[in-house]
Amino acid sequence: MSLDTLIKKRIEKSGPMSVADYMALVLSHPEHGYYMRKDPLGAAGDFTTSPEISQIFGELIGLWLAEQWRAMGKPKAALVELGPGRGTLMADILRATRMISRFHESVSVHLVETSGVLKQAQWNALAGKHPDLNWHTDIDELPEKPFLLVANEFFDALPISQFVCENGEWKERMVGIEDGKLCFVYEAAKPPAALASVSAKAGTIYEYSEAAENIIHSIAGHVVAHGGSALVVDYGYAGGTRGDTLQALKAHSYHEVLITPGEADLTAHVDFDRLKAIAQKAGAAVYGPRPQGAFLGSLGAIARAVRLCENTPDNQQAEIMAGLTRLVSPEAMGELFKVLAITTPDRPAPEGF
Ligand code: SAH
C-alpha cells in the first residue's frame, strides 16, 4: 500500500488529520516515511545542506563547540548532533577539533537519528574517526553529561500544526479528501496556549510545533541541569508569523505538499522566537537568532576559505569560494538561515553573538 492510500484510508476511517499528523506520517512512517526510505541529500537527491556545500561550515562549528568546552572548564561532555544526515557535519567537527588538546578524549559522540538508511550513512562517514560513537532515536536517551550539541536543518523537519482565526474563532487547517484527492480543510479547534494570546490577523496562518517545543525544552533543561552549549541552525523567522511555510521539495524544486506523499521532503520554517522563549523559560541563556552569514563571518569564514585555497590547486579554488558565498551571502543562505545558541547564564556571550 502506498503512503497516499494509507493516509486516505485513515482519513476515511477517522476524519481529517492535522497537518502535524500528516507531516509525521510523510516523513517518519516506519515503512514509507520519506527519511526512512532513502538518503535525500546531495546533488542526486532532493535538497542539499550547509555541511554538504562546504567543509568550512562544520569546521567553524567544531571550533565553536571546542571553545565552549574550554570556557566550561574542559569537562567530560557529550558531543551531540540531532538529525546528522550523512554524518558530514560531525566528520568535519571531529577533523577540525582533532588537534585540540584533550578534546577528543573528553567527549563521547552521540547521534540522534530515526532513519536506518541515514544511520548507515553516518556510520560510513564516522567509523574510526572517534572511539566512542553512539546512536540514539530519542533525545531523552542522552547521557547526563554537559552537552556540546548541534542541530542543522533538524527543526524544520519536525511536524507543525497550522491555525487560522476568523471572527474571533480559531480553526485548524487539516488534511481531508475531496473527489478522491487529498485537500486542505478547516475545522473548529482550540488553539494551543502559545497562540491563544496573539492578536490574530484574520485569514493569516499561524504555525505551531509541539515537537520542536518539546525538544528545545528538553535541550535547555539539560543544559541548565548538567551544563553545556547548544547551537541550532535552520531556516526560519523571528518577529511574528510568516503565514504558511509548509513546503515540499523534490529534486531541488518545489513540489505540491499533498501530492505523492513520502516522495518529496516536507518542511516548515522554524519559529525562532518561540524556541528562544521556551529555552529562556527553562532558565537557559539564549543568544540570537543571528543570520548564518554574520555568524560564520564573525567566526572567520573568509580567512578559513583563503587558507583552504592556499592548499588547493588553482582550478579548484573557485569551488571553495563559491561554497563560502552560498553559505554567507544574503541572497543564498546567509540571511534566511539563522543561528541560535543556548548556554548557561554563568558564562559570557559565546563567540559569534
Ligand atoms: N543535519 C544534516 C541533515 C538534515 S536532514 C545536514 O545538515 O546535512 C534532517 C535530518 O533529521 C535527517 O537525518 C533525518 O533523518 C533526521 N530526522 C528527522 N526527524 C527526526 C526525528 N524526529 N528524530 C531524529 N532525527 C530526525
Side-chain angles (χ1 to χ4, degrees), residues 4-22 25 172-178 181-187:
D4 184 66
T5 310
L6 190 143
I7 288 170
K8 284 176 182 156
K9 277 196 187 302
R10 280 208 193 176
I11 294 172
E12 277 158 10
K13 187 160 167 247
S14 319
M17 67 170 68
S18 69
V19 168
D21 287 344
Y22 178 74
L25 278 171
E172 183 165 1
R173 195 178 189 219
M174 313 280 285
V175 179
I177 303 177
E178 202 178 275
K181 290 198 185 113
L182 295 177
C183 66
F184 287 113
V185 295
Y186 292 85
E187 285 195 346

PDB file of all heavy atoms in Angstrom, residues 4-22 25 172-178 181-187:
ATOM      1  N   ASP A   4       0.072   7.389   0.125  1.00  0.00           N
ATOM      2  CA  ASP A   4      -1.125   8.129  -0.299  1.00  0.00           C
ATOM      3  C   ASP A   4      -2.385   7.328   0.073  1.00  0.00           C
ATOM      4  O   ASP A   4      -3.320   7.857   0.680  1.00  0.00           O
ATOM      5  CB  ASP A   4      -1.026   8.353  -1.814  1.00  0.00           C
ATOM      6  CG  ASP A   4      -2.158   9.203  -2.344  1.00  0.00           C
ATOM      7  OD1 ASP A   4      -2.220  10.387  -1.970  1.00  0.00           O
ATOM      8  OD2 ASP A   4      -2.987   8.675  -3.104  1.00  0.00           O
ATOM      9  N   THR A   5      -2.394   6.041  -0.275  1.00  0.00           N
ATOM     10  CA  THR A   5      -3.546   5.174   0.029  1.00  0.00           C
ATOM     11  C   THR A   5      -3.718   5.022   1.531  1.00  0.00           C
ATOM     12  O   THR A   5      -4.831   5.100   2.056  1.00  0.00           O
ATOM     13  CB  THR A   5      -3.321   3.771  -0.607  1.00  0.00           C
ATOM     14  OG1 THR A   5      -2.959   3.975  -1.962  1.00  0.00           O
ATOM     15  CG2 THR A   5      -4.548   2.907  -0.508  1.00  0.00           C
ATOM     16  N   LEU A   6      -2.614   4.798   2.223  1.00  0.00           N
ATOM     17  CA  LEU A   6      -2.668   4.612   3.682  1.00  0.00           C
ATOM     18  C   LEU A   6      -3.255   5.852   4.374  1.00  0.00           C
ATOM     19  O   LEU A   6      -4.117   5.740   5.251  1.00  0.00           O
ATOM     20  CB  LEU A   6      -1.236   4.358   4.140  1.00  0.00           C
ATOM     21  CG  LEU A   6      -0.974   3.903   5.554  1.00  0.00           C
ATOM     22  CD1 LEU A   6       0.195   2.908   5.522  1.00  0.00           C
ATOM     23  CD2 LEU A   6      -0.597   5.053   6.445  1.00  0.00           C
ATOM     24  N   ILE A   7      -2.835   7.038   3.942  1.00  0.00           N
ATOM     25  CA  ILE A   7      -3.337   8.286   4.541  1.00  0.00           C
ATOM     26  C   ILE A   7      -4.831   8.440   4.229  1.00  0.00           C
ATOM     27  O   ILE A   7      -5.627   8.775   5.107  1.00  0.00           O
ATOM     28  CB  ILE A   7      -2.507   9.494   4.030  1.00  0.00           C
ATOM     29  CG1 ILE A   7      -1.121   9.462   4.677  1.00  0.00           C
ATOM     30  CG2 ILE A   7      -3.204  10.816   4.330  1.00  0.00           C
ATOM     31  CD1 ILE A   7      -0.118  10.437   4.093  1.00  0.00           C
ATOM     32  N   LYS A   8      -5.213   8.154   2.988  1.00  0.00           N
ATOM     33  CA  LYS A   8      -6.636   8.272   2.623  1.00  0.00           C
ATOM     34  C   LYS A   8      -7.492   7.312   3.439  1.00  0.00           C
ATOM     35  O   LYS A   8      -8.576   7.671   3.899  1.00  0.00           O
ATOM     36  CB  LYS A   8      -6.818   8.023   1.126  1.00  0.00           C
ATOM     37  CG  LYS A   8      -6.381   9.217   0.291  1.00  0.00           C
ATOM     38  CD  LYS A   8      -6.466   8.925  -1.184  1.00  0.00           C
ATOM     39  CE  LYS A   8      -5.987  10.120  -1.992  1.00  0.00           C
ATOM     40  NZ  LYS A   8      -5.530   9.737  -3.331  1.00  0.00           N
ATOM     41  N   LYS A   9      -7.018   6.092   3.634  1.00  0.00           N
ATOM     42  CA  LYS A   9      -7.784   5.115   4.431  1.00  0.00           C
ATOM     43  C   LYS A   9      -7.972   5.631   5.851  1.00  0.00           C
ATOM     44  O   LYS A   9      -9.046   5.510   6.430  1.00  0.00           O
ATOM     45  CB  LYS A   9      -7.056   3.768   4.457  1.00  0.00           C
ATOM     46  CG  LYS A   9      -7.322   2.916   3.236  1.00  0.00           C
ATOM     47  CD  LYS A   9      -6.908   1.483   3.529  1.00  0.00           C
ATOM     48  CE  LYS A   9      -6.959   0.570   2.336  1.00  0.00           C
ATOM     49  NZ  LYS A   9      -8.210   0.429   1.646  1.00  0.00           N
ATOM     50  N   ARG A  10      -6.895   6.209   6.418  1.00  0.00           N
ATOM     51  CA  ARG A  10      -7.013   6.739   7.789  1.00  0.00           C
ATOM     52  C   ARG A  10      -8.034   7.858   7.861  1.00  0.00           C
ATOM     53  O   ARG A  10      -8.802   7.966   8.809  1.00  0.00           O
ATOM     54  CB  ARG A  10      -5.667   7.290   8.259  1.00  0.00           C
ATOM     55  CG  ARG A  10      -4.781   6.199   8.708  1.00  0.00           C
ATOM     56  CD  ARG A  10      -3.811   6.714   9.753  1.00  0.00           C
ATOM     57  NE  ARG A  10      -2.787   5.696   9.926  1.00  0.00           N
ATOM     58  CZ  ARG A  10      -1.737   5.810  10.697  1.00  0.00           C
ATOM     59  NH1 ARG A  10      -1.547   6.909  11.391  1.00  0.00           N
ATOM     60  NH2 ARG A  10      -0.867   4.830  10.787  1.00  0.00           N
ATOM     61  N   ILE A  11      -8.020   8.738   6.836  1.00  0.00           N
ATOM     62  CA  ILE A  11      -8.955   9.881   6.844  1.00  0.00           C
ATOM     63  C   ILE A  11     -10.389   9.372   6.669  1.00  0.00           C
ATOM     64  O   ILE A  11     -11.314   9.848   7.334  1.00  0.00           O
ATOM     65  CB  ILE A  11      -8.566  10.896   5.738  1.00  0.00           C
ATOM     66  CG1 ILE A  11      -7.205  11.517   6.061  1.00  0.00           C
ATOM     67  CG2 ILE A  11      -9.628  11.984   5.597  1.00  0.00           C
ATOM     68  CD1 ILE A  11      -6.619  12.385   4.972  1.00  0.00           C
ATOM     69  N   GLU A  12     -10.564   8.367   5.783  1.00  0.00           N
ATOM     70  CA  GLU A  12     -11.916   7.808   5.592  1.00  0.00           C
ATOM     71  C   GLU A  12     -12.448   7.221   6.888  1.00  0.00           C
ATOM     72  O   GLU A  12     -13.625   7.318   7.209  1.00  0.00           O
ATOM     73  CB  GLU A  12     -11.894   6.733   4.493  1.00  0.00           C
ATOM     74  CG  GLU A  12     -11.991   7.331   3.100  1.00  0.00           C
ATOM     75  CD  GLU A  12     -11.441   6.400   2.014  1.00  0.00           C
ATOM     76  OE1 GLU A  12     -11.154   5.214   2.317  1.00  0.00           O
ATOM     77  OE2 GLU A  12     -11.268   6.883   0.877  1.00  0.00           O
ATOM     78  N   LYS A  13     -11.555   6.621   7.650  1.00  0.00           N
ATOM     79  CA  LYS A  13     -11.977   5.965   8.892  1.00  0.00           C
ATOM     80  C   LYS A  13     -12.215   6.976  10.028  1.00  0.00           C
ATOM     81  O   LYS A  13     -13.232   6.923  10.713  1.00  0.00           O
ATOM     82  CB  LYS A  13     -10.876   4.977   9.304  1.00  0.00           C
ATOM     83  CG  LYS A  13     -11.246   4.109  10.471  1.00  0.00           C
ATOM     84  CD  LYS A  13     -10.373   2.861  10.535  1.00  0.00           C
ATOM     85  CE  LYS A  13     -10.551   2.198  11.885  1.00  0.00           C
ATOM     86  NZ  LYS A  13      -9.344   2.248  12.708  1.00  0.00           N
ATOM     87  N   SER A  14     -11.283   7.929  10.189  1.00  0.00           N
ATOM     88  CA  SER A  14     -11.333   8.780  11.393  1.00  0.00           C
ATOM     89  C   SER A  14     -11.570  10.258  11.105  1.00  0.00           C
ATOM     90  O   SER A  14     -11.520  11.075  12.015  1.00  0.00           O
ATOM     91  CB  SER A  14     -10.032   8.658  12.182  1.00  0.00           C
ATOM     92  OG  SER A  14      -9.598   7.335  12.227  1.00  0.00           O
ATOM     93  N   GLY A  15     -11.728  10.652   9.848  1.00  0.00           N
ATOM     94  CA  GLY A  15     -11.929  12.061   9.528  1.00  0.00           C
ATOM     95  C   GLY A  15     -10.607  12.759   9.254  1.00  0.00           C
ATOM     96  O   GLY A  15      -9.535  12.146   9.397  1.00  0.00           O
ATOM     97  N   PRO A  16     -10.665  14.052   8.849  1.00  0.00           N
ATOM     98  CA  PRO A  16      -9.438  14.791   8.501  1.00  0.00           C
ATOM     99  C   PRO A  16      -8.374  14.704   9.581  1.00  0.00           C
ATOM    100  O   PRO A  16      -8.695  14.656  10.769  1.00  0.00           O
ATOM    101  CB  PRO A  16      -9.951  16.226   8.347  1.00  0.00           C
ATOM    102  CG  PRO A  16     -11.380  16.076   7.960  1.00  0.00           C
ATOM    103  CD  PRO A  16     -11.873  14.856   8.680  1.00  0.00           C
ATOM    104  N   MET A  17      -7.092  14.688   9.150  1.00  0.00           N
ATOM    105  CA  MET A  17      -5.982  14.634  10.126  1.00  0.00           C
ATOM    106  C   MET A  17      -5.272  15.985  10.160  1.00  0.00           C
ATOM    107  O   MET A  17      -5.287  16.731   9.186  1.00  0.00           O
ATOM    108  CB  MET A  17      -5.013  13.495   9.792  1.00  0.00           C
ATOM    109  CG  MET A  17      -4.224  13.636   8.517  1.00  0.00           C
ATOM    110  SD  MET A  17      -2.920  12.375   8.372  1.00  0.00           S
ATOM    111  CE  MET A  17      -3.833  10.863   8.156  1.00  0.00           C
ATOM    112  N   SER A  18      -4.632  16.281  11.286  1.00  0.00           N
ATOM    113  CA  SER A  18      -3.925  17.560  11.415  1.00  0.00           C
ATOM    114  C   SER A  18      -2.718  17.578  10.472  1.00  0.00           C
ATOM    115  O   SER A  18      -2.205  16.527  10.068  1.00  0.00           O
ATOM    116  CB  SER A  18      -3.461  17.764  12.857  1.00  0.00           C
ATOM    117  OG  SER A  18      -2.443  16.830  13.155  1.00  0.00           O
ATOM    118  N   VAL A  19      -2.263  18.780  10.146  1.00  0.00           N
ATOM    119  CA  VAL A  19      -1.055  18.918   9.324  1.00  0.00           C
ATOM    120  C   VAL A  19       0.123  18.241  10.033  1.00  0.00           C
ATOM    121  O   VAL A  19       0.975  17.610   9.400  1.00  0.00           O
ATOM    122  CB  VAL A  19      -0.767  20.417   9.047  1.00  0.00           C
ATOM    123  CG1 VAL A  19       0.623  20.613   8.451  1.00  0.00           C
ATOM    124  CG2 VAL A  19      -1.835  20.991   8.117  1.00  0.00           C
ATOM    125  N   ALA A  20       0.148  18.332  11.381  1.00  0.00           N
ATOM    126  CA  ALA A  20       1.249  17.713  12.139  1.00  0.00           C
ATOM    127  C   ALA A  20       1.234  16.190  11.968  1.00  0.00           C
ATOM    128  O   ALA A  20       2.284  15.576  11.751  1.00  0.00           O
ATOM    129  CB  ALA A  20       1.160  18.085  13.612  1.00  0.00           C
ATOM    130  N   ASP A  21       0.031  15.580  12.042  1.00  0.00           N
ATOM    131  CA  ASP A  21      -0.037  14.119  11.865  1.00  0.00           C
ATOM    132  C   ASP A  21       0.349  13.739  10.434  1.00  0.00           C
ATOM    133  O   ASP A  21       1.021  12.735  10.202  1.00  0.00           O
ATOM    134  CB  ASP A  21      -1.452  13.608  12.175  1.00  0.00           C
ATOM    135  CG  ASP A  21      -1.748  13.644  13.669  1.00  0.00           C
ATOM    136  OD1 ASP A  21      -0.786  13.772  14.457  1.00  0.00           O
ATOM    137  OD2 ASP A  21      -2.935  13.553  14.048  1.00  0.00           O
ATOM    138  N   TYR A  22      -0.083  14.565   9.475  1.00  0.00           N
ATOM    139  CA  TYR A  22       0.262  14.309   8.076  1.00  0.00           C
ATOM    140  C   TYR A  22       1.782  14.367   7.887  1.00  0.00           C
ATOM    141  O   TYR A  22       2.390  13.458   7.320  1.00  0.00           O
ATOM    142  CB  TYR A  22      -0.446  15.340   7.179  1.00  0.00           C
ATOM    143  CG  TYR A  22      -0.124  15.209   5.718  1.00  0.00           C
ATOM    144  CD1 TYR A  22      -0.649  14.166   4.952  1.00  0.00           C
ATOM    145  CD2 TYR A  22       0.731  16.116   5.084  1.00  0.00           C
ATOM    146  CE1 TYR A  22      -0.344  14.038   3.599  1.00  0.00           C
ATOM    147  CE2 TYR A  22       1.042  15.999   3.737  1.00  0.00           C
ATOM    148  CZ  TYR A  22       0.505  14.956   2.998  1.00  0.00           C
ATOM    149  OH  TYR A  22       0.816  14.825   1.670  1.00  0.00           O
ATOM    150  N   LEU A  25       3.570  11.363   9.426  1.00  0.00           N
ATOM    151  CA  LEU A  25       3.448  10.144   8.614  1.00  0.00           C
ATOM    152  C   LEU A  25       4.321  10.229   7.371  1.00  0.00           C
ATOM    153  O   LEU A  25       5.025   9.280   7.014  1.00  0.00           O
ATOM    154  CB  LEU A  25       1.990   9.951   8.176  1.00  0.00           C
ATOM    155  CG  LEU A  25       1.049   9.308   9.181  1.00  0.00           C
ATOM    156  CD1 LEU A  25      -0.387   9.385   8.671  1.00  0.00           C
ATOM    157  CD2 LEU A  25       1.440   7.848   9.425  1.00  0.00           C
ATOM    158  N   GLU A 172      -8.451  24.911  12.787  1.00  0.00           N
ATOM    159  CA  GLU A 172      -7.193  24.243  12.435  1.00  0.00           C
ATOM    160  C   GLU A 172      -7.246  23.790  10.980  1.00  0.00           C
ATOM    161  O   GLU A 172      -8.274  23.293  10.507  1.00  0.00           O
ATOM    162  CB  GLU A 172      -6.940  23.029  13.356  1.00  0.00           C
ATOM    163  CG  GLU A 172      -5.595  22.372  13.035  1.00  0.00           C
ATOM    164  CD  GLU A 172      -5.088  21.409  14.093  1.00  0.00           C
ATOM    165  OE1 GLU A 172      -5.772  21.199  15.112  1.00  0.00           O
ATOM    166  OE2 GLU A 172      -3.979  20.869  13.873  1.00  0.00           O
ATOM    167  N   ARG A 173      -6.124  24.007  10.277  1.00  0.00           N
ATOM    168  CA  ARG A 173      -6.016  23.537   8.887  1.00  0.00           C
ATOM    169  C   ARG A 173      -5.700  22.044   8.939  1.00  0.00           C
ATOM    170  O   ARG A 173      -4.718  21.624   9.574  1.00  0.00           O
ATOM    171  CB  ARG A 173      -4.905  24.297   8.192  1.00  0.00           C
ATOM    172  CG  ARG A 173      -4.907  24.188   6.684  1.00  0.00           C
ATOM    173  CD  ARG A 173      -3.773  25.039   6.142  1.00  0.00           C
ATOM    174  NE  ARG A 173      -3.803  25.174   4.710  1.00  0.00           N
ATOM    175  CZ  ARG A 173      -2.716  25.162   3.944  1.00  0.00           C
ATOM    176  NH1 ARG A 173      -1.521  25.031   4.495  1.00  0.00           N
ATOM    177  NH2 ARG A 173      -2.807  25.306   2.649  1.00  0.00           N
ATOM    178  N   MET A 174      -6.540  21.245   8.288  1.00  0.00           N
ATOM    179  CA  MET A 174      -6.417  19.785   8.362  1.00  0.00           C
ATOM    180  C   MET A 174      -6.290  19.219   6.941  1.00  0.00           C
ATOM    181  O   MET A 174      -6.565  19.902   5.955  1.00  0.00           O
ATOM    182  CB  MET A 174      -7.676  19.175   8.995  1.00  0.00           C
ATOM    183  CG  MET A 174      -8.161  19.849  10.265  1.00  0.00           C
ATOM    184  SD  MET A 174      -7.267  19.360  11.733  1.00  0.00           S
ATOM    185  CE  MET A 174      -7.939  17.731  12.031  1.00  0.00           C
ATOM    186  N   VAL A 175      -5.926  17.953   6.861  1.00  0.00           N
ATOM    187  CA  VAL A 175      -5.861  17.281   5.564  1.00  0.00           C
ATOM    188  C   VAL A 175      -7.073  16.365   5.448  1.00  0.00           C
ATOM    189  O   VAL A 175      -7.270  15.468   6.280  1.00  0.00           O
ATOM    190  CB  VAL A 175      -4.553  16.480   5.416  1.00  0.00           C
ATOM    191  CG1 VAL A 175      -4.501  15.767   4.068  1.00  0.00           C
ATOM    192  CG2 VAL A 175      -3.341  17.397   5.583  1.00  0.00           C
ATOM    193  N   GLY A 176      -7.911  16.633   4.436  1.00  0.00           N
ATOM    194  CA  GLY A 176      -9.096  15.807   4.180  1.00  0.00           C
ATOM    195  C   GLY A 176      -9.064  15.268   2.758  1.00  0.00           C
ATOM    196  O   GLY A 176      -8.007  15.299   2.100  1.00  0.00           O
ATOM    197  N   ILE A 177     -10.213  14.782   2.293  1.00  0.00           N
ATOM    198  CA  ILE A 177     -10.276  14.218   0.931  1.00  0.00           C
ATOM    199  C   ILE A 177     -11.431  14.879   0.180  1.00  0.00           C
ATOM    200  O   ILE A 177     -12.516  15.061   0.727  1.00  0.00           O
ATOM    201  CB  ILE A 177     -10.550  12.696   0.960  1.00  0.00           C
ATOM    202  CG1 ILE A 177      -9.489  11.976   1.780  1.00  0.00           C
ATOM    203  CG2 ILE A 177     -10.610  12.109  -0.450  1.00  0.00           C
ATOM    204  CD1 ILE A 177      -9.732  10.478   1.924  1.00  0.00           C
ATOM    205  N   GLU A 178     -11.165  15.252  -1.075  1.00  0.00           N
ATOM    206  CA  GLU A 178     -12.250  15.736  -1.931  1.00  0.00           C
ATOM    207  C   GLU A 178     -12.047  15.127  -3.315  1.00  0.00           C
ATOM    208  O   GLU A 178     -10.933  15.165  -3.844  1.00  0.00           O
ATOM    209  CB  GLU A 178     -12.186  17.268  -2.007  1.00  0.00           C
ATOM    210  CG  GLU A 178     -13.521  17.893  -2.398  1.00  0.00           C
ATOM    211  CD  GLU A 178     -13.409  19.408  -2.421  1.00  0.00           C
ATOM    212  OE1 GLU A 178     -13.555  20.026  -1.353  1.00  0.00           O
ATOM    213  OE2 GLU A 178     -13.121  19.942  -3.512  1.00  0.00           O
ATOM    214  N   LYS A 181      -9.080  13.042  -3.848  1.00  0.00           N
ATOM    215  CA  LYS A 181      -7.726  13.614  -3.693  1.00  0.00           C
ATOM    216  C   LYS A 181      -7.578  14.253  -2.322  1.00  0.00           C
ATOM    217  O   LYS A 181      -8.549  14.781  -1.765  1.00  0.00           O
ATOM    218  CB  LYS A 181      -7.512  14.711  -4.742  1.00  0.00           C
ATOM    219  CG  LYS A 181      -7.385  14.184  -6.138  1.00  0.00           C
ATOM    220  CD  LYS A 181      -6.735  15.263  -7.007  1.00  0.00           C
ATOM    221  CE  LYS A 181      -6.680  14.834  -8.450  1.00  0.00           C
ATOM    222  NZ  LYS A 181      -7.526  15.609  -9.330  1.00  0.00           N
ATOM    223  N   LEU A 182      -6.345  14.252  -1.810  1.00  0.00           N
ATOM    224  CA  LEU A 182      -6.092  14.935  -0.540  1.00  0.00           C
ATOM    225  C   LEU A 182      -6.255  16.442  -0.742  1.00  0.00           C
ATOM    226  O   LEU A 182      -5.855  16.981  -1.786  1.00  0.00           O
ATOM    227  CB  LEU A 182      -4.667  14.636  -0.049  1.00  0.00           C
ATOM    228  CG  LEU A 182      -4.387  13.172   0.314  1.00  0.00           C
ATOM    229  CD1 LEU A 182      -2.919  12.991   0.716  1.00  0.00           C
ATOM    230  CD2 LEU A 182      -5.297  12.706   1.454  1.00  0.00           C
ATOM    231  N   CYS A 183      -6.858  17.115   0.240  1.00  0.00           N
ATOM    232  CA  CYS A 183      -7.018  18.567   0.153  1.00  0.00           C
ATOM    233  C   CYS A 183      -7.009  19.153   1.558  1.00  0.00           C
ATOM    234  O   CYS A 183      -7.150  18.419   2.543  1.00  0.00           O
ATOM    235  CB  CYS A 183      -8.324  18.922  -0.552  1.00  0.00           C
ATOM    236  SG  CYS A 183      -9.749  18.422   0.405  1.00  0.00           S
ATOM    237  N   PHE A 184      -6.826  20.473   1.664  1.00  0.00           N
ATOM    238  CA  PHE A 184      -6.868  21.120   2.978  1.00  0.00           C
ATOM    239  C   PHE A 184      -8.306  21.462   3.327  1.00  0.00           C
ATOM    240  O   PHE A 184      -9.068  21.930   2.477  1.00  0.00           O
ATOM    241  CB  PHE A 184      -6.010  22.386   2.980  1.00  0.00           C
ATOM    242  CG  PHE A 184      -4.531  22.086   2.976  1.00  0.00           C
ATOM    243  CD1 PHE A 184      -3.747  22.412   1.876  1.00  0.00           C
ATOM    244  CD2 PHE A 184      -3.932  21.471   4.070  1.00  0.00           C
ATOM    245  CE1 PHE A 184      -2.381  22.131   1.868  1.00  0.00           C
ATOM    246  CE2 PHE A 184      -2.573  21.185   4.077  1.00  0.00           C
ATOM    247  CZ  PHE A 184      -1.798  21.518   2.970  1.00  0.00           C
ATOM    248  N   VAL A 185      -8.677  21.227   4.579  1.00  0.00           N
ATOM    249  CA  VAL A 185      -9.992  21.619   5.086  1.00  0.00           C
ATOM    250  C   VAL A 185      -9.761  22.312   6.435  1.00  0.00           C
ATOM    251  O   VAL A 185      -8.687  22.195   7.026  1.00  0.00           O
ATOM    252  CB  VAL A 185     -10.927  20.391   5.264  1.00  0.00           C
ATOM    253  CG1 VAL A 185     -11.229  19.743   3.927  1.00  0.00           C
ATOM    254  CG2 VAL A 185     -10.320  19.363   6.211  1.00  0.00           C
ATOM    255  N   TYR A 186     -10.758  23.044   6.896  1.00  0.00           N
ATOM    256  CA  TYR A 186     -10.607  23.773   8.169  1.00  0.00           C
ATOM    257  C   TYR A 186     -11.650  23.273   9.155  1.00  0.00           C
ATOM    258  O   TYR A 186     -12.804  23.090   8.787  1.00  0.00           O
ATOM    259  CB  TYR A 186     -10.760  25.278   7.927  1.00  0.00           C
ATOM    260  CG  TYR A 186      -9.598  25.825   7.128  1.00  0.00           C
ATOM    261  CD1 TYR A 186      -9.594  25.757   5.735  1.00  0.00           C
ATOM    262  CD2 TYR A 186      -8.491  26.358   7.772  1.00  0.00           C
ATOM    263  CE1 TYR A 186      -8.509  26.228   5.002  1.00  0.00           C
ATOM    264  CE2 TYR A 186      -7.404  26.832   7.047  1.00  0.00           C
ATOM    265  CZ  TYR A 186      -7.413  26.761   5.661  1.00  0.00           C
ATOM    266  OH  TYR A 186      -6.339  27.219   4.942  1.00  0.00           O
ATOM    267  N   GLU A 187     -11.228  23.038  10.382  1.00  0.00           N
ATOM    268  CA  GLU A 187     -12.148  22.557  11.406  1.00  0.00           C
ATOM    269  C   GLU A 187     -12.024  23.419  12.655  1.00  0.00           C
ATOM    270  O   GLU A 187     -10.906  23.791  13.028  1.00  0.00           O
ATOM    271  CB  GLU A 187     -11.800  21.107  11.791  1.00  0.00           C
ATOM    272  CG  GLU A 187     -12.226  20.106  10.759  1.00  0.00           C
ATOM    273  CD  GLU A 187     -12.212  18.674  11.309  1.00  0.00           C
ATOM    274  OE1 GLU A 187     -11.631  18.435  12.395  1.00  0.00           O
ATOM    275  OE2 GLU A 187     -12.767  17.804  10.622  1.00  0.00           O
TER     276      GLU A 187
END
